[in-house]
Amino acid sequence: MNGNLGELTIDDISKLEGHTKVFEVDEDVPLSVWYNSTRKIMLKDLNHGDVAKLIRQTMHLEYVIPEALNRLRINPLAGYLGDGEIMEAIAQVNEEEWDKNFIVKSMVSSFIEDFLYLIKTNKLNFPEDKEIYSDQEREEYYQLLLRIKKAL
């Protein structure tokens, strides 16, 4: 996982993973149509929703998770459909997937430890709107991080 992963397209990543079969779109399957729409886009240019969906579908995790973590460092609540969508997607990854992706598991584990520390010390860079991001929301985020840590 060297270099700038964000400069890779989904097609590039698929080839790196050894997939040589030509992708055929099934117009009757929305997920197939969506995936086809992302194939020529560089990872860094995908929207937060696409990144979250790739994670939820456990697709290309070795490449998508580092991009997701970069986005979360900038905005811990990164999402397209709603705040926290990317972190929620990471929380949905099952243990078997983490076990198959040891390097990614290690990256996420380190990231989670860092974020837990930042929350404990009240240094996590949440948006300034205190009415929206109350102590309760911060606690829910903290619990989400603990849930991910446990799954790892």
Side-chain angles (χ1 to χ4, degrees):
M1 293 191 302
N2 297 332
N4 187 355
L5 298 178
E7 298 295 325
L8 297 172
T9 65
I10 297 299
D11 272 350
D12 296 333
I13 292 168
S14 187
K15 289 174 189 166
L16 285 172
E17 293 177 335
H19 303 287
T20 56
K21 187 177 174 184
V22 175
F23 178 77
E24 294 184 31
V25 180
D26 183 342
E27 295 291 336
D28 294 328
V29 178
L31 187 61
S32 178
V33 173
W34 164 80
Y35 184 75
N36 187 55
S37 75
T38 68
R39 292 178 47 234
K40 303 292 183 200
I41 301 172
M42 283 189 280
L43 191 54
K44 70 179 178 91
D45 294 332
L46 291 172
N47 68 44
H48 293 329
D50 290 333
V51 169
K53 188 179 283 190
L54 284 165
I55 294 168
R56 285 191 301 271
Q57 296 299 318
T58 63
M59 300 175 83
H60 314 301
L61 291 181
E62 181 179 356
Y63 301 92
V64 176
I65 292 285
E67 175 65 23
L69 298 180
N70 288 337
R71 291 172 185 223
L72 290 169
R73 283 182 186 94
I74 295 166
N75 176 6
L77 300 172
Y80 182 76
L81 295 175
D83 287 345
E85 182 181 12
I86 290 177
M87 189 64 81
E88 287 284 348
I90 292 171
Q92 293 174 16
V93 175
N94 65 43
E95 271 184 67
E96 295 82 33
E97 289 299 325
W98 293 128
D99 291 342
K100 288 192 281 186
N101 293 286
F102 181 76
I103 293 171
V104 174
K105 177 180 178 175
S106 178
M107 291 173 69
V108 172
S109 181
S110 177
F111 174 88
I112 295 298
E113 289 299 328
D114 290 347
F115 263 40
L116 286 169
Y117 174 78
L118 290 173
I119 288 179
K120 285 180 187 175
T121 59
N122 205 25
K123 294 180 182 173
L124 188 57
N125 204 11
F126 279 108
E128 294 298 317
D129 189 339
K130 297 202 186 300
E131 285 184 31
I132 296 175
Y133 303 105
S134 66
D135 289 339
Q136 180 180 346
E137 276 86 15
R138 291 171 194 259
E139 179 60 26
E140 288 171 5
Y141 195 84
Y142 183 75
Q143 293 303 317
L144 180 62
L145 293 171
L146 289 177
R147 196 169 87 217
I148 296 169
K149 180 179 176 179
K150 184 177 180 183
L152 296 172

